[in-house]
Amino acid sequence: MDRFAAVERELRKAAPHLLLDVVTAALREQYGVTGVELRLADYGMTTLQVVSEAPLAEPVHIHDSPQGRAFGAQEPYVEPRATQGPVTAHLPVSVRGDRLGVLSVTAPESSCSPAGLAEMQQICEALGHEILVAERDTDLYLLARRATRLTLAAEMQWQLLPGRSVARPEFSLGAHLEPAYAIFGDNFDWSVSAHHLTLTVTNGMGKGMEAALLTNLVVNALRNARRAGLDLPGQASLADQAVYAQHRGALHASVLLLRFDLATGEVEAVDAGSPRMWRLRGGDVAAVDFDAQLPLGMFEETEYVAEHFRVEPGDRLLIGSDGVYDSASAAGERYGERALARSLSAHRFLPSGQVPLAVLRDLRDYRGPAPLDDDALVVCLDWFGRQSSTGDASTGDASA
């Protein structure tokens, strides 16, 4: 623990672009490490990109590489060896459930014992926290996340996002957008307090910069209203007024707003448009339907009404934009009619952070060779419930 505290202090004092240098020096001194490499997941979540001022190493694929194995499982992975000698280990770099990348080390076998890997994993967690802070002051880590150039609209949308996953004792949540490098109007946002999780999924009207600017207005209006202490209908109303004042009904945005009580599983919902939700409970998949209300900005001073339902421990919720459930196969059948439920069932054993990508891969297979003609957004939330003093999860009436 003393060794970890010393590294953490050095990371906090380091210049933003020198975080890896600090970790490398500490690992060499304390664990005899001879090689260190940091890779971050790209925006498409398909490759792990090396972090360097002048990258020399090629990207590695997340789905068929030793680094990707550690990234996917979120556990250290030690590569098998045919001969005696140094060991190569890959350790996930994550922050509160948000998977950032992988730190790879080459070290003596004695340093890669379970205890040694656990200590180095602590260092990776500290590194992850400092990377997020450092991104305010340097582009180094943001540049490492892109496998190709982002469109300006995509750059604006990615900067809006709170992350790609988050975990608390009560829940685990993951989300993904496609096409990652040219997204338009789809977006997601969340905020977690001591008592509530607020989750919003947005589908903005239009294409390119028009859609990106509209979504920026909606997301920031919702944040402003939430931070002012308004309830969900109030948040929707304020954002509705902001969009209408700017576009006078010519543009609008569809939003699903959800507010989870972490202690009880009670959920407040406002459905203002097209994002839709499905629930996997006990092996059965069912759509969760709400009373459809007007999209934000369509008319002046629209009033919104909240609905309520409850989630149970073990529930999985999946939210998709119309670019997901309205996508059609070559035969003309919409993905959301039956295929999405099959996909959700097929991936029920994956953690929530991996489900959105898995569903989107299934969507691409379903559509065939035709490229996506709209944004496709998937959010997956696993509900565990809050543990009582006896160790049981909180439960309640499961009406929806």
Side-chain angles (χ1 to χ4, degrees), residues 5 57 70 99 112 119 126 142 147 174 195 207 218 230 251 272 290 398:
R99 301 180 299 163
C112 293
E119 291 177 1
L142 292 173
H195 305 292
K207 298 286 186 181
V218 171
L230 300 185
L251 294 177
F290 302 105

Side-chain angles (χ1 to χ4, degrees), residues 16-21 24 36-41 48-59 102-103 131 138-146:
H17 63 286
L18 295 178
L19 299 180
L20 183 57
D21 292 351
T24 300
V36 179
E37 183 180 71
L38 174 63
R39 291 178 179 270
L40 298 180
L48 291 162
Q49 311 275 130
V50 70
V51 175
S52 174
E53 295 283 359
L56 300 175
E58 291 293 322
V102 172
L103 187 75
I131 286 174
T138 178
D139 288 336
L140 176 64
Y141 309 103
L142 292 173
L143 289 172
R145 295 174 191 229
R146 55 194 72 194

Side-chain angles (χ1 to χ4, degrees), residues 63-84:
H63 299 293
D64 61 357
S65 66
Q67 296 92 332
R69 183 164 175 171
F71 182 81
Q74 287 296 284
E75 294 179 353
Y77 173 68
V78 179
E79 291 190 30
R81 294 174 303 153
T83 61
Q84 294 295 317

Side-chain angles (χ1 to χ4, degrees), residues 247-271:
H247 298 288
R248 313 304 296 180
L251 294 177
H252 50 80
S254 299
V255 179
L256 177 63
L257 298 94
L258 302 168
R259 188 170 185 259
F260 297 78
D261 187 306
L262 298 179
T264 66
E266 190 74 25
V267 187
E268 184 181 22
V270 173
D271 182 0

Side-chain angles (χ1 to χ4, degrees), residues 50-318:
V50 70
V51 175
S52 174
E53 295 283 359
L56 300 175
E58 291 293 322
V60 298
H61 289 283
I62 285 178
H63 299 293
D64 61 357
S65 66
Q67 296 92 332
R69 183 164 175 171
F71 182 81
Q74 287 296 284
E75 294 179 353
Y77 173 68
V78 179
E79 291 190 30
R81 294 174 303 153
T83 61
Q84 294 295 317
V87 172
T88 298
H90 308 285
L91 302 107
V93 178
S94 305
V95 180
R96 296 190 178 94
D98 192 8
R99 301 180 299 163
L100 303 183
V102 172
L103 187 75
S104 301
V105 300
T106 302
E109 185 175 7
S110 59
S111 296
C112 293
S113 64
L117 290 174
E119 291 177 1
M120 286 190 278
Q121 187 61 62
Q122 281 190 305
I123 293 174
C124 287
E125 291 174 6
L127 173 62
H129 279 275
E130 293 306 317
I131 286 174
L132 292 187
V133 175
E135 285 180 349
R136 300 180 305 179
D137 302 312
T138 178
D139 288 336
L140 176 64
Y141 309 103
L142 292 173
L143 289 172
R145 295 174 191 229
R146 55 194 72 194
T148 186
R149 182 175 178 179
L150 292 173
T151 64
L152 178 55
E155 185 90 49
M156 294 171 64
Q157 298 290 57
W158 281 108
Q159 290 301 309
L160 271 182
L161 298 179
R164 285 180 290 201
S165 54
V166 63
R168 283 273 300 267
E170 299 88 353
F171 69 88
S172 175
L173 188 158
H176 192 65
L177 279 164
E178 288 287 351
Y181 291 88
I183 53 178
F184 303 116
D186 287 4
N187 206 272
F188 55 87
D189 193 27
W190 62 67
S191 176
V192 187
S193 70
H195 305 292
H196 296 96
L197 161 68
T198 302
L199 171 64
T200 62
V201 179
T202 305
N203 185 358
M205 180 180 176
K207 298 286 186 181
M209 282 298 298
E210 181 181 65
L213 289 168
L214 174 62
T215 304
N216 268 260
L217 174 60
V218 171
V219 171
N220 281 293
L222 289 170
R223 288 174 176 172
N224 177 258
R226 185 183 72 229
R227 293 163 184 170
L230 300 185
D231 59 11
L232 280 197
Q235 293 172 32
S237 295
L238 188 146
D240 170 70
Q241 294 166 20
V243 175
Y244 187 84
Q246 186 69 27
H247 298 288
R248 313 304 296 180
L251 294 177
H252 50 80
S254 299
V255 179
L256 177 63
L257 298 94
L258 302 168
R259 188 170 185 259
F260 297 78
D261 187 306
L262 298 179
T264 66
E266 190 74 25
V267 187
E268 184 181 22
V270 173
D271 182 0
S274 64
R276 294 182 57 190
M277 185 166 73
W278 289 259
R279 180 183 61 208
L280 173 64
R281 174 180 289 173
D284 296 325
V285 177
V288 181
D289 296 321
F290 302 105
D291 293 332
Q293 301 180 68
L294 291 173
L296 306 184
M298 184 171 283
F299 299 105
E300 189 173 12
E301 296 184 356
T302 302
E303 292 188 8
Y304 294 92
V305 178
E307 301 176 68
H308 296 84
F309 67 101
R310 190 185 297 274
V311 286
E312 292 183 345
D315 280 357
R316 167 167 285 179
L317 301 180
L318 186 134

